[in-house]
Amino acid sequence: MKLQKQGGLTLISFIFVLAFVIFVSFIGMKIAPIYMEYYSVVSAMNGVASERGSANLSPYDVRVKVLNRLYVSYAAENVKEKHIKLTRGNGVNLRIAYEVRKPVIGNLDVVAKFDRSVRLSN
């Protein structure tokens, strides 16, 4: 009879793996809402950009349209009116640039910077 060694994790190895999985899940729960909000901002920008005649609107009207779409999708927490810019030149471009800071653990923060630009349609 040949003896075989038993394979697997020891209790201490299992605790380390479990701690790592919990830490990664915790970080993911802090970061995921930031990116979900960003995708709502992208969706709002694309929605306003695809509206017919949006390039002819005043900057105030475009800001109102974007912010209303963000309020509907509950994504207006970090994007303020001052972050929305319109530039006219070779077409009309809508640009939203903002920064999100979220505390993670103690004095450790996550900082995410977003900058997106779309061309408005005529």
Side-chain angles (χ1 to χ4, degrees), residues 32-51:
I34 296 171
Y35 282 97
M36 289 171 45
E37 179 185 43
Y38 171 69
Y39 292 125
S40 294
V41 170
V42 169
S43 175
M45 290 175 71
N46 290 337
V48 170
S50 66
E51 284 183 14

Side-chain angles (χ1 to χ4, degrees), residues 2-3 11 13 16-17 24 30 48 56 59 62 72 79 95 103 121:
K2 193 173 183 182
L3 292 176
L11 180 62
S13 300
F16 281 130
V17 169
V24 169
K30 292 288 188 171
V48 170
N56 300 326
V62 173
V72 168
V79 178
R95 179 177 177 231
S121 64

Side-chain angles (χ1 to χ4, degrees), residues 5-69:
K5 279 186 136 182
Q6 185 175 356
L9 293 175
T10 63
L11 180 62
I12 293 176
S13 300
F14 178 72
I15 290 172
F16 281 130
V17 169
L18 184 64
F20 179 74
V21 168
I22 290 173
F23 178 74
V24 169
S25 301
F26 178 74
I27 297 298
M29 288 188 303
K30 292 288 188 171
I31 294 175
I34 296 171
Y35 282 97
M36 289 171 45
E37 179 185 43
Y38 171 69
Y39 292 125
S40 294
V41 170
V42 169
S43 175
M45 290 175 71
N46 290 337
V48 170
S50 66
E51 284 183 14
R52 192 170 190 88
S54 60
N56 300 326
L57 294 174
S58 70
Y60 175 77
D61 290 335
V62 173
R63 284 189 189 103
V64 167
K65 283 185 177 284
V66 170
L67 289 174
N68 284 341
R69 286 177 182 259

Side-chain angles (χ1 to χ4, degrees), residues 61-108:
D61 290 335
V62 173
R63 284 189 189 103
V64 167
K65 283 185 177 284
V66 170
L67 289 174
N68 284 341
R69 286 177 182 259
L70 291 176
Y71 287 132
V72 168
S73 64
Y74 299 106
E77 182 180 339
N78 295 306
V79 178
K80 305 297 180 211
E81 189 174 350
K82 65 182 179 181
H83 299 131
I84 303 171
K85 306 281 188 216
L86 258 90
T87 55
R88 298 184 191 273
N90 191 13
V92 180
N93 291 324
L94 169 64
R95 179 177 177 231
I96 297 180
Y98 65 102
E99 182 178 290
V100 180
R101 290 180 176 264
K102 292 283 183 178
V104 178
I105 300 171
N107 61 353
L108 183 65

